[in-house]
Amino acid sequence: MIMAPAGAKRNILERLDAGEIVIGDGGFVFALEKRGYVKAGPWTPEAAAEHPEAVRQLHREFLRAGSNVMQTFTFYASDDKLENRGNAQRFTGTQINEAACDLAREVANEGDAMVAGGVSQTPSYLSCKCEDEVKGIFKRQLDVFVKKNVDFMIAEYFEHVEEAEWAVQVLKTSGKPVCATLCIGPDGDLNGVSPGDCAVRLVKAGANIVGINCHFDPMTCVKTVKMMKEGVERAGLKAHYMVQPLAFHTPDCNCQGFIDLPEFPFGLEPRILTRWDMHKYAREAFNVGIRFIGGCCGFEPYHIRAVAEELATERGCLPAASEKHGNWGAGLEMHTKPWVRARARRDYWEKLKPASGRPKCPSMSTPDSWGVTKGHADLMQHKEATSQEELKPLFEKAKASH
Amino acid sequence: MIMAPAGAKRNILERLDAGEIVIGDGGFVFALEKRGYVKAGPWTPEAAAEHPEAVRQLHREFLRAGSNVMQTFTFYASDDKLENRGNAQRFTGTQINEAACDLAREVANEGDAMVAGGVSQTPSYLSCKCEDEVKGIFKRQLDVFVKKNVDFMIAEYFEHVEEAEWAVQVLKTSGKPVCATLCIGPDGDLNGVSPGDCAVRLVKAGANIVGINCHFDPMTCVKTVKMMKEGVERAGLKAHYMVQPLAFHTPDCNCQGFIDLPEFPFGLEPRILTRWDMHKYAREAFNVGIRFIGGCCGFEPYHIRAVAEELATERGCLPAASEKHGNWGAGLEMHTKPWVRARARRDYWEKLKPASGRPKCPSMSTPDSWGVTKGHADLMQHKEATSQEELKPLFEKAKASH
Amino acid sequence: MIMAPAGAKRNILERLDAGEIVIGDGGFVFALEKRGYVKAGPWTPEAAAEHPEAVRQLHREFLRAGSNVMQTFTFYASDDKLENRGNAQRFTGTQINEAACDLAREVANEGDAMVAGGVSQTPSYLSCKCEDEVKGIFKRQLDVFVKKNVDFMIAEYFEHVEEAEWAVQVLKTSGKPVCATLCIGPDGDLNGVSPGDCAVRLVKAGANIVGINCHFDPMTCVKTVKMMKEGVERAGLKAHYMVQPLAFHTPDCNCQGFIDLPEFPFGLEPRILTRWDMHKYAREAFNVGIRFIGGCCGFEPYHIRAVAEELATERGCLPAASEKHGNWGAGLEMHTKPWVRARARRDYWEKLKPASGRPKCPSMSTPDSWGVTKGHADLMQHKEATSQEELKPLFEKAKASH
Amino acid sequence: MIMAPAGAKRNILERLDAGEIVIGDGGFVFALEKRGYVKAGPWTPEAAAEHPEAVRQLHREFLRAGSNVMQTFTFYASDDKLENRGNAQRFTGTQINEAACDLAREVANEGDAMVAGGVSQTPSYLSCKCEDEVKGIFKRQLDVFVKKNVDFMIAEYFEHVEEAEWAVQVLKTSGKPVCATLCIGPDGDLNGVSPGDCAVRLVKAGANIVGINCHFDPMTCVKTVKMMKEGVERAGLKAHYMVQPLAFHTPDCNCQGFIDLPEFPFGLEPRILTRWDMHKYAREAFNVGIRFIGGCCGFEPYHIRAVAEELATERGCLPAASEKHGNWGAGLEMHTKPWVRARARRDYWEKLKPASGRPKCPSMSTPDSWGVTKGHADLMQHKEATSQEELKPLFEKAKASH
């Protein structure tokens, strides 16, 4: 395997401290939904137990694409979540979590990858806000990850920094390195805490690596991590930074992110990033000082490969799957038609503004009005206009007097 | 005339103090450029002397549309501007200015309108920054307006609040009411002074009415005036507020406004606001507390009519030209085709998202890179990516090792 | 006047026979609607009598822009039309028609322009199809034009070739040259008669000049005239050709044209052609062999000027209004900002794809379903899909059996 | 397995003769390129031998999604193709072809699916046009399929009907049912033979099932198959019909299809069809009388599932993967946010016009000019315009004479 260096694997903090780039994987729930193994709505990961071959194959594809991290497919895998709203399961939560750990480890061992266990926001936080109860949930999940000896932990997808702090505090008890990512944008968490302040609180809670995942497009997430980094530095603290954004363009999102877009989750296709968008993302993340760079919902293996190709010089290696790609799509030099061969160059793809092929569709949506809105969008609303009835006498008068 | 109330005309401050709405006119240079009387580039108003019938007719159309203010067509009418860059003239600056005052007065007298003289930013400010010299230019222009006895003065289209302060100080010497509008957006003037601080400085300099004109679309301008109003109120001061925006959609502008858009000035057609966009604008401006509501470049008479129709109840009258329109396009009830008659209702036009008919054009532009840029646009740039040459050995290695 | 050659004016046929280009004017009802003098819906031309200064000014602007033809503002000016659907008038039809002829003649005499009288399709044709009655209407209109001694006649805006033939037969009795234009697209008239066959019938009926006006965008109209020309040539006949299209992009129209678009008539702004689109149109029309080139709804004076500028070499002159424009917008060389001066070149404007500034709007509309539809649009409809109720048992079964 | 009926599998012709719907699979080269196993450019299927687990997994996903046909992953698998343009292989063509047959059979046996072997257009046809040589290539490929005993044969992806006829003639010698699909649009094959005439020739050559695959979007392909069907019926012949289109919107293609689009193959993301677009496609294909309905490049398993769900009532079953979807996305009823639960209904998704999230991109592209163009696009070109130099004297004259 090209990317597997000799010797024992090093810890994520050893790598980051040494200035290395760590490449994450992509979002499993979206990818496996399209493959037929995850149900949009509950978004639960029972496929780890039900269809291990499908989960294993997706891990392998991300490994081939350059991922250094195999995240266990355990998103929303607590028992209360798994059974939520009538989502009956044939496997117990423990079975699912353990199967997911085993699959991640099996594939990680095929290459230069670490296994990361994960916890995410809970319905309990919103319904009771009782610190002990919420922490208990994280603790029960952590027990499996400790038993299965994952390499490090990620607390991800939190909309409220307080809940993320609680998660970090629990995960720290394992002695493993802890990452914490919020799913917020530049406007801050849902209580209005700024990205900079959020980051400071997470670092103080014990997180070694902080950043953003999900909910917004890559450039917005990088911008938000930059704000977090500036906050941490202003506070005189130290941390590493990570980002795992959507692979969807979301210029029209409000502060709750892509869930409020009318296209979520079954009409997002026109927003999918190209591999060339990913090059720009990877470069920008690197320039900003982020060294753990991955993806979330919408990322397919070729997106991660593009990240790895953009950073190949800095990392000193290309992913295995680049054998099936070539530098900036150089494989096109073998195309039969000369005008397609003429596209086998970086300049062509960097400048392309891809058409949507959907001339009856707009380029931006209005986020769902049930969500929290802000700013300019309000101004476009027309609220207290005069009714037609009121105006009639004036029109009569206008006509008569002329 | 329906809109001419009995009795002597009242001063603009008397009207605003009484809570009335004053409707401005539209932008003459853009409208007359399309009619063949103004040259884009120099944008000078020699047509006032060369083709008075064309200028008179445009004044009349705005009057019929509901304007209470006839602005003299004297934009860029100082001698140094008129001869700038080889723009030779057949008339002197004084001839042009006087002709413009006469035309405005002639038409104002046909209805319920006041005459406003105007000064705007000077090349002298940028080249020497000498207060006395710049004030001298304003003083020479003011002399004509005093001689012709305009009703009030407008200092408009300033990108730096300092120059606008100087203009206000000069205009105040006439004893006439003074308005001051900047052509800035929510990010403030070109020195970074916020809209709120700009407004405070203008009021302190003596302006009775402050606000925004040109450079941005209506909703952006209203938002900026709102920021000015908040600044004035925070400072414990009092003022009236005005807005005279573009009739072009400019969601993609940077802080220098529409001049940096690649479409300026000969490709702006797809951005022109509909009359229904104007209804929303007029309502929002009113809601925010603005009472002098007009237009700038791109406004045609029917745009001003739409503003007047939206505010007909508040003003207690409709403009004369509404006789040729009807409430929310009610004239369509007389169309021959039944499906067009079905469009004679407010609901239809409020909900319409008009198609551009240009499927090979994007919906947003990238402002000219010579201008000042900021924010998200930067992030989309891809600056230090690895070259193809550097990567070749890595691809060779990847292929070989597989 | 630059464009007025010495000597007596020549007849339109003399000009065309000599290989000259004749430039038409633009659409008065749309232009005057925006100026506040025409009501959308009835679209009647009472402004000729009510507000002659406004009509005269528009004629002058087109003359300055290069028009060689002043069409009398008599569209829909028959008495039955004027009073249609409660559209009460203060002037008689005769007053309006005569006033319109006088205004056109007055301005034509100021330059090198001819006066053309016009008739268009009648409600009578559709309601009774009685040839004598319909011809009687055309005859009464013709009487005014003969009395006022217009230079030639135009039968325009016919959706059925049969009615146009009747009009031509009546107009021929005047001894004046006769033009005939249909408002159809490449699919032919509303009875399905092809453009080629329509043209042959019009020439046989006596038309000297045949072509297309209104309803579709310039390139579509040119394409349709090309089909007419091919038909006439195939039939071994001879004629001159003319085109007076919309100034709106209409790639999404069905066979009834822009009236079926949801944006008609109050949301068409984003579709307005730029002056550079007009250059392409004028060149294409010329290349196809059309020599009477003008405009219809949406054309403003600057659009006609662009046509005249594109064909300046062929015509040997520029219009007066080019003094306020310069070659390909050369006036921008006098702009204060260097990056705008850099736009004073043909290459820049030819390549520009103007953004709409409306990211929440699509680029194409679906024509109103009341109209006649055809082709691909049908396929996009989803007609006989299975209901949700029918599927439920299958989903139950799928879940159970797994 | 829900979809596996008891008893021996029936032949594809038995199924179609009985009026059943046969669902095809999706395009392997595009799907596996994104997963990292196929190189765009050569597009060869060596992964069948190199990474069988990846190919097997994709077959399984299509089977779960409802496919009744497992096409062997043998596209471009002739030796001359495999080694074309320096595309060196570690496996022989025979090894790859045999591995592909084994994988297809293994998964087909897990459900109610048939195995189809395939041949496609050859470089030899274009370079020599020698019938014997081209037929020899097809014969060598057929030998493997006969040895591995596939259930039926597909000759697909032909741009010239003559080459497809030759392929059909060779495949008929196997005694197996033969399908033939061209990659053409409504304008016919690259020699201008109409879809109707193409279909007649293929049926006369011995094809049992004729239709279209690749190159155009679903609705365009269905329209073309409809033209084929009309041709066959006009000729008094009988056949079954199939369609396997792209999963990309291509309204802007010329007659060579999506290869000429500037986005091919690495910028097509914004064109990807949603699952709801697939419902419309499946219904339309069914309505037109097509009974073998599948996909080609761009189809992912969830697209095929959507086809199977739309036709569930007619087929009497749902695919296994619908367990992870629910009727029209009913799984959303289990989403945590109420406004997302509100989207769990057909009406919502049918009406959605998805935004691209790319406001700087157009909705339509201009196909690459190296390709064959036609129609309206030409008209948009501006070919013989006057140069700026020629016009200068005229502008001088215009200015002087004024």
Side-chain angles (χ1 to χ4, degrees), chain B residues 370-388:
Chain B
W370 296 37
V372 180
T373 60
K374 67 182 170 53
H376 195 270
D378 299 351
L379 290 178
M380 298 308 288
Q381 301 307 316
H382 183 214
K383 280 153 196 161
E384 297 174 47
T386 312
S387 79
Q388 296 215 39

Side-chain angles (χ1 to χ4, degrees), chain A residues 240-316:
Chain A
H240 292 292
Y241 302 93
M242 67 183 284
V243 64
Q244 304 217 86
L246 299 179
F248 303 110
H249 289 287
T250 63
D252 37 3
C253 274
N254 62 29
C255 64
Q256 290 206 89
F258 83 140
I259 289 171
D260 286 358
L261 290 178
E263 290 85 6
F264 176 87
F266 294 137
L268 293 163
E269 279 81 353
R271 298 173 177 269
I272 299 172
L273 272 79
T274 67
R275 60 197 74 197
W276 319 116
D277 293 328
M278 290 296 171
H279 276 262
K280 293 178 188 169
Y281 151 59
R283 181 56 49 194
E284 185 66 20
F286 180 81
N287 284 347
V288 158
I290 303 170
R291 290 296 178 270
F292 181 173
I293 302 172
C296 198
C297 302
F299 270 72
E300 298 281 346
Y302 77 105
H303 289 125
I304 288 295
R305 177 175 64 189
V307 170
E309 292 187 353
E310 174 64 27
L311 300 170
T313 303
E314 288 81 0
R315 295 176 76 224

